[in-house]
Structure formats: C-alpha cells, structure tokens
Amino acid sequence: MVKKIYLIRHGQTYFNVRGIVQGSGVDAPLNDVGQQQARQFHAAYHGVPFDRVHISTLMRTQQSIQPFLDAGLPHEKHRALDEISWGHREGTRITPEEDIEYHGLLRAWQRGETHLALRGGESPEEVAARQRPFIDEVLRGRPEEENVLVCMHGRAMRVLLCQLLNYPLSRMDHFEHRNLCLYKVHYTGSMFSIRNYMDTGHLG
C-alpha cells in the first residue's frame, strides 16, 4: 500500500500581507483571502477519502482545513508541526536591518550551519528534532491510514520535506512555498517521493 500525504501550508494572514514576522509565537488568523483559499482547497480535494488531518497548534492551520472538520473529518493537533520560532523578531515588521539579519542567517543555513538561530528562536535542527516523533508515529506508522492531510507552516514544511526526502537541511530552500500550496508525497514503506510540487492549481 502507498501512503499518500497531502502537505499544505496555511492560507494567507494579515501578517503575511503586512510583512510582519509570525513564527510559532504569533497566533494570527486567516484574512479574507486566506479563508477563500481554504474554501478553494476544500472544493478541489473534498473528494479525497482522507483518514485523518494533522495540524499545528496555531489557529491559521485549523482555519485552513476547517471545511474538512465541519464535514466530520477527525483531526489531531501537534506541536511538532508548529512554525519555527523566529525569536526576538516575531510580531515585528520586517525592516531593512532585520532583512539583512534574516538573509545572513539563510546564507549560514545554506552553508550547513543549521544549528544557528535568531536570538531567542529555534534553529532548523531543533525544528527537525521535534518533528521526528511525528514522522515516526504518523507518517511511517499507522499503516491503516492511507490518505493523510497535513497543514503546517512554510519554514517548518521545508524542514519536514528535507527529513522525508533525506535531504540535508542546508537544501531546505529548494522547497518553495506559497499560501495554501500543496506538496503531495507518496510513501511506499521504504521511501518518500514528491508527486506534486508547490501545487496551487486549486487556487485558480
């Protein structure tokens, strides 16, 4: 049996539009566009016989799949799926100085220094560590669940995809994302493979 994992990023928030850093410490709701994206994704995929949906503890992921929950689909919340913590930058608007700091950190990660983090925040390695029990329990385990929907966050999703596909974390920026994009991943019991890459076809 092939396990099919539908991995989506949450819909748009007002913070996304305003250029304010969210991370795991800002529990921002979807804006009107994000709510529409959630309805569009549901319209395109409500026919998939999902066994369960997994979301982070932040409201923007639950709101992104709320139409599935309204239809009675069972769900679980996982701290493992929360966005990376951006530390002292969370809740602040991106300034030119902060942008320099951020891109300096990205370049360090791309050099393989994935143990580094912003002050008070998490490193990619720390995010990966909290995701591993979720991967083992839900994605590699539970063979009875054939179709699984997972809604999470951009940077954390990049980390998760690296772990599933056995990429070094220094390559995580190869996995691009947009609000309510879809990565469809198949798991055969021995390996994961991507079937849909940053798919936004359901958004029209």
Side-chain angles (χ1 to χ4, degrees):
M1 185 186 74
V2 176
K3 184 187 287 284
K4 302 175 186 69
I5 302 156
Y6 294 74
L7 180 61
I8 61 173
R9 185 191 176 203
H10 64 81
Q12 187 185 93
T13 71
Y14 292 109
F15 280 57
N16 291 145
V17 176
R18 295 170 183 167
I20 297 174
V21 180
Q22 293 176 109
S24 62
V26 175
D27 200 9
L30 299 186
N31 62 13
D32 291 343
V33 171
Q35 295 283 0
Q36 175 64 15
Q37 290 170 336
R39 291 190 292 270
Q40 288 173 309
F41 181 79
H42 179 261
Y45 289 96
H46 71 277
V48 176
F50 291 117
D51 296 293
R52 194 174 302 273
V53 60
H54 300 274
I55 60 177
S56 79
T57 65
L58 302 169
M59 76 171 81
R60 53 193 183 270
T61 60
Q62 178 165 335
Q63 291 176 342
S64 296
I65 51 83
Q66 190 62 46
F68 293 94
L69 304 189
D70 292 342
L73 182 65
H75 74 287
E76 296 177 10
K77 291 185 179 182
H78 305 268
R79 168 79 177 90
L81 299 179
D82 283 1
E83 180 60 302
I84 192 172
S85 169
W86 294 111
H88 71 103
R89 289 192 56 202
E90 292 190 351
T92 65
R93 191 176 298 276
I94 300 172
T95 65
E97 293 77 18
E98 288 175 327
D99 205 39
I100 291 171
E101 178 187 31
Y102 171 70
H103 283 95
L105 183 63
L106 290 188
R107 287 192 295 273
W109 289 349
Q110 290 163 3
R111 293 193 300 267
E113 299 174 69
T114 51
H115 63 286
L116 298 178
L118 291 173
R119 176 167 48 86
E122 285 181 294
S123 71
E125 291 180 12
E126 290 172 319
V127 175
R130 63 172 160 87
Q131 289 179 353
R132 285 184 199 116
F134 172 81
I135 294 170
D136 291 339
E137 176 191 357
V138 177
L139 301 188
R140 288 200 174 98
R142 303 192 188 183
E144 73 283 0
E145 295 185 357
E146 184 176 354
N147 294 283
V148 178
L149 177 58
V150 179
C151 185
M152 54 188 306
H153 309 263
R155 179 59 56 178
M157 186 165 70
R158 285 171 156 162
V159 172
L160 182 67
L161 284 165
C162 281
Q163 299 206 85
L164 298 184
L165 298 166
N166 201 28
Y167 277 53
L169 292 175
S170 60
R171 300 283 300 278
M172 60 186 156
D173 284 329
H174 288 243
F175 300 109
E176 300 179 61
H177 60 73
R178 297 178 184 173
N179 288 116
L180 227 306
C181 71
L182 166 70
Y183 279 84
K184 186 180 178 185
V185 180
H186 284 190
Y187 179 56
T188 63
S190 60
M191 65 178 293
F192 292 90
S193 61
I194 290 182
R195 298 306 176 96
N196 294 57
Y197 178 95
M198 201 181 71
D199 186 354
T200 56
H202 48 277
L203 302 179

